[in-house]
Amino acid sequence: MDKDQMQDFIAQRVAKELADNSVVNLGIGLPTRVANFVANDLTIHFQSENGFVGLGPAPDAENINPNIVNAGGQPVTILTGGAFFDSATSFGIIRGGHVDLTVLGALQVDELGNIANYMIPGKLVPGMGGAMDLLSGAKRVIVAMEHTAKGDKKILKKCTLPLTAAGVVNLIITEMGVIEVTPEGLVLKEVAPNYTAQQVQDATDAILIISEGL
């Protein structure tokens, strides 16, 4: 798979975690693709921290409205019944615990469910955006990311970058598999086609517990 196909593959798997009638926030980058793979029999209320609920799939090139963009500045659609509001209301929804699930990318995740996703020391930092609020306010957290970055492992025994939040990640989904964060450690629940459990472990710094149902 090329990078684009890989990100769609990850997003499609994340979409299987969505519960009917839930409020879901999608982080910038790869997570925004999840909205394109929602099952037809589900009603999902996608919320964007820049001020609306009712996000739909990405528009085609001929139907882009430059005034409707997500938190990453990408053109999006809004579904019938969607609503626009100010940032205070948007973050009131997030901080008030009304988001059932947030899907975010990450630079690093570790076996304790810690996540680092907003800065690399010494590099330009645009800001953490709404990540800290989402990670502390959402009821469930899924990290959707590529398993490694230029060969460097991203799923670690302990994060080395500044943390965005501690002990909040519930599930990690990459192009290689699905990993659940548990009190006992990281449990490998699924392995993607064309990979083996050993290959997933070799690409992971933390020790993976192999699920009995793998």
Side-chain angles (χ1 to χ4, degrees), residues 19-79:
D20 191 34
N21 208 36
S22 58
V23 177
V24 178
N25 181 286
L26 302 177
I28 63 174
L30 188 164
T32 61
R33 297 178 180 233
V34 174
N36 299 329
F37 297 103
V38 178
N40 292 331
D41 60 343
L42 295 182
T43 297
I44 306 297
H45 307 286
F46 287 113
Q47 186 259 356
S48 186
E49 65 257 38
N50 60 321
F52 66 84
V53 66
L55 170 75
D60 56 49
E62 296 181 355
N63 292 292
I64 291 175
N65 184 335
N67 296 312
I68 304 179
V69 298
N70 62 23
Q74 298 169 309
V76 292
T77 57
I78 187 163
L79 303 177

Side-chain angles (χ1 to χ4, degrees), residues 21 47 58 64 81 98 115 137 148 152 183:
N21 208 36
Q47 186 259 356
I64 291 175
H98 304 293
I115 177 173
T148 60
D152 292 334

Side-chain angles (χ1 to χ4, degrees), residues 31-209:
T32 61
R33 297 178 180 233
V34 174
N36 299 329
F37 297 103
V38 178
N40 292 331
D41 60 343
L42 295 182
T43 297
I44 306 297
H45 307 286
F46 287 113
Q47 186 259 356
S48 186
E49 65 257 38
N50 60 321
F52 66 84
V53 66
L55 170 75
D60 56 49
E62 296 181 355
N63 292 292
I64 291 175
N65 184 335
N67 296 312
I68 304 179
V69 298
N70 62 23
Q74 298 169 309
V76 292
T77 57
I78 187 163
L79 303 177
T80 301
F84 298 91
F85 34 77
D86 60 20
S87 289
T89 300
S90 185
F91 277 86
I93 292 171
I94 295 168
R95 294 170 182 169
H98 304 293
V99 174
D100 296 301
L101 169 69
T102 186
V103 184
L104 298 173
L107 298 168
Q108 295 177 344
V109 184
D110 69 24
E111 61 187 12
L112 297 177
N114 300 327
I115 177 173
N117 79 340
Y118 82 98
M119 74 173 295
I120 299 175
K123 293 192 177 183
L124 180 65
V125 181
M128 75 290 295
M132 290 183 176
D133 293 281
L134 286 162
L135 289 166
S136 62
K139 296 173 185 175
R140 187 168 184 240
V141 175
I142 294 178
V143 167
M145 65 179 188
E146 295 176 35
H147 207 95
T148 60
K150 299 179 179 178
D152 292 334
K153 296 173 181 178
K154 298 172 66 176
I155 303 174
L156 310 175
K157 294 179 181 177
K158 184 177 181 179
C159 290
T160 59
L161 295 174
L163 296 184
T164 312
V168 296
V169 177
N170 301 111
L171 199 67
I172 305 165
I173 298 179
T174 77
E175 78 282 4
M176 297 185 78
V178 178
I179 300 170
E180 183 180 6
V181 182
T182 76
E184 291 73 36
L186 299 180
V187 178
L188 182 60
K189 306 283 287 187
E190 297 178 21
V191 175
N194 302 320
Y195 290 102
T196 65
Q198 186 59 54
Q199 287 175 315
V200 180
Q201 179 62 80
D202 291 344
T204 306
D205 178 59
I207 302 301
L208 297 176
I209 302 167

